[in-house]
Amino acid sequence: MSAAPHEIERILFTEEQIQERIRAVGAQISGDFTGRELKLIGVLKGSVFFLTALARELRLPVRIDFLAISPFTGQRSGPGLVRLAKDLDESIEGEHVLLVEDIVDTGFTTRYLLQNLAARGPASLGIVTLLDRTPRRIVQVPVNYSCFEIPDRFVVGFGLDYKQLYRNLGYIAALKPD
Ligand code: IMP
Ligand code: MG
């Protein structure tokens, strides 16, 4: 592994640890959905790295779709207010759906997406997240599968960014406070 960028303070999870957890969570999901088809819905851009790694561990017929969100701007802007910037390409009606998140933090984004997706009539709807930061949770959301719990530190890598950088790091790290 090449040297970490100097803005990195500490590696929280190595590539090997991440791969091992994704393999375990993938096995759990494969067991829970045996005999069914699964639709994975990724939230651009952060969850792309996790989604592709997870999908390869699933022993199920899998379909993949993406949506993108952006902060709501204008008079109704405020914490956790988001809008769909890109919608799904296909219907999820009657399908078993897992929303794939990079991190569930306050829970606002995930709650908005769950409500939006639930209204489309999936057969089932769950959440799988790479990181779960429960100390900062404001709205409760049912996280079905989580790879790692993290403390209240800003993290980057494996899809997570700071100003659009560091998504391509294979590990997950805390940034130096600046
Ligand atoms: P929530 O609505 O507060 O749960 O925020 C979720 C979104 O905030 C995530 O999908 C990330 O894009 C972003 N985010 C929250 N915490 C971090 C972090 O530590 N590093 C990078 N992005 C983060
Ligand atoms: Mg982000």
Side-chain angles (χ1 to χ4, degrees):
M1 188 164 59
S2 56
H6 68 270
E7 301 88 348
I8 298 297
E9 179 173 276
R10 187 163 65 90
I11 293 178
L12 299 180
F13 307 110
T14 65
E15 287 196 56
E16 291 71 24
Q17 288 172 317
I18 296 168
Q19 188 53 46
E20 193 181 318
R21 271 303 289 157
I22 293 177
R23 193 167 294 144
V25 170
Q28 199 185 344
I29 293 172
S30 298
D32 291 350
F33 288 88
T34 301
R36 295 176 183 165
E37 297 184 355
L38 188 60
K39 165 87 50 98
L40 298 179
I41 295 183
V43 186
L44 297 171
K45 305 185 258 297
S47 75
V48 169
F49 293 74
F50 176 46
L51 183 145
T52 58
L54 178 68
R56 293 173 63 164
E57 297 298 332
L58 297 178
R59 302 291 170 258
L60 303 165
V62 166
R63 290 190 176 84
I64 291 170
D65 206 344
F66 291 98
L67 50 76
I69 48 176
S70 48
F72 210 100
T73 49
Q75 291 187 329
R76 284 184 58 239
S77 72
L81 271 184
V82 293
R83 63 176 185 83
L84 274 191
K86 179 219 173 293
D87 202 352
L88 299 174
D89 289 335
E90 285 160 3
S91 164
I92 57 169
E93 194 176 345
E95 297 185 18
H96 295 285
V97 173
L98 276 184
L99 177 64
V100 183
E101 288 271 28
D102 53 356
I103 181 168
V104 182
D105 187 28
T106 63
F108 280 117
T109 309
T110 308
R111 183 179 62 175
Y112 168 82
L113 291 174
L114 275 187
Q115 288 174 345
N116 185 298
L117 295 174
R120 306 179 194 206
S124 69
L125 177 59
I127 303 171
V128 55
T129 189
L130 177 62
L131 303 177
D132 193 356
R133 197 196 276 125
T134 52
R136 278 173 45 89
R137 195 77 92 250
I138 295 173
V139 294
Q140 296 310 312
V141 287
V143 174
N144 304 81
Y145 308 95
S146 156
C147 293
F148 300 102
E149 277 276 341
I150 60 163
D152 191 0
R153 281 295 309 273
F154 193 85
V155 297
V156 295
F158 216 88
L160 290 114
D161 74 301
Y162 173 66
K163 296 184 177 171
Q164 300 302 330
L165 287 173
Y166 310 111
R167 293 192 198 276
N168 60 321
L169 298 179
Y171 50 84
I172 294 169
L175 274 189
K176 284 178 186 156
D178 56 9

